Amino acid sequence: MSETDDRGQPVLETWRQGDCVLGEQWFAYRIDPANPATEAGQIAAANGADLAEALVVGLAVTSQTCDIVRDDPASPFIEVSPLINVSDPEYDQIAKKMRPRYAVVPALAKDRLVADLSRTMTVEKAVVVRWDRVPGWTEDGETRDFAEALARKRSRPAFPDDFVRLVGGLQARIKEKHNRNSPEGAALQSLREIRVQGTPSWRGAQVRLHFWFISREPKVEPGLEQSVEEWLKRVQPTGRFVSIDGQAVNLSEMTAQEYVDSDRLDLDWLSATRA
């Protein structure tokens, strides 16, 4: 890449994972002309096309920084995801890493813009050098959080269908109460994450479930413990799931083995599988 900034540096050398371009951008994707799933797809299909373009408010770069700045003819592409506006409650959930479909872009927090990681396209680096770069973050911890969001989107488990049905009531309750000004809402605000383990395995004929409701606070508050008791009442043994228990803890009270043997639950957690 030959274009340079006002200091004479190649433009792409200033770009990093999580940086953005703002303003009207077109996001392209392949469609099934016989059954388009979106309005943009319907318009494209009506015009005899199998490629649709949707207008978005901006794009976030999701490629790793080392791949962005590499000046290599064999690596001419960069991955991007569209930016979307979300409500304040949704933004709060995403910022607390409860919605792995999305990633917070710290520099755009005031506008409640997040990256929609469920959609990705590639653009040539020659296009990116013409964009006005908007830094996505300013601190090292923020770029680690963005990278973690990308990794979590790809690595989250696909839970068995019967487990998905089992925890539907708990999921609905968390969504309903998460931003409420109530003791239960405060308990949810104090959560770092929820994890669950199926013993002896998720595919066993009989499975024992244990939930960990992990507090952000150094000391677990009584309000969280009381809420956990109520939440667990919404998950009753049935079918293969012969016993269900759980507890409110902080990270120091979990063993490393318990943490790695369990799976994280998010508000987007229930990706069912037919395995």
Side-chain angles (χ1 to χ4, degrees), residues 68-85:
I68 298 169
V69 302
R70 181 179 297 125
D71 191 2
D72 182 355
S75 180
F77 299 109
I78 287 177
E79 296 176 2
V80 296
S81 289
L83 295 170
I84 65 168
N85 289 104

Side-chain angles (χ1 to χ4, degrees), residues 155-233:
S155 64
R156 60 181 175 162
F159 291 108
D161 285 359
D162 51 356
F163 176 78
V164 171
R165 293 188 291 270
L166 179 76
V167 296
L170 174 61
Q171 182 193 38
R173 183 71 174 185
I174 289 174
K175 286 184 174 181
E176 176 188 357
K177 299 296 184 179
H178 185 265
N179 287 287
R180 296 290 180 86
N181 185 18
S182 66
E184 190 173 359
L188 285 166
Q189 292 288 326
S190 74
L191 279 180
R192 180 186 189 275
E193 61 183 293
I194 305 171
R195 301 187 72 84
V196 62
Q197 181 178 3
T199 306
S201 76
W202 283 107
R203 299 301 173 187
Q206 293 188 326
V207 183
R208 301 185 303 278
L209 295 177
H210 187 89
F211 291 83
W212 284 274
F213 296 83
I214 306 174
S215 175
R216 297 176 180 273
E217 308 302 327
K219 180 180 168 102
V220 176
E221 297 295 329
L224 178 56
E225 294 178 332
Q226 294 167 5
S227 292
V228 166
E229 292 180 6
E230 293 301 314
W231 295 335
L232 289 174
K233 291 177 183 178

Side-chain angles (χ1 to χ4, degrees), residues 14-16 18-21 105-108 132-138:
T14 66
W15 281 81
R16 306 164 297 182
D19 286 347
C20 305
V21 58
V105 180
L108 305 180
D132 291 326
R133 170 179 168 263
V134 176
W137 49 271
T138 57

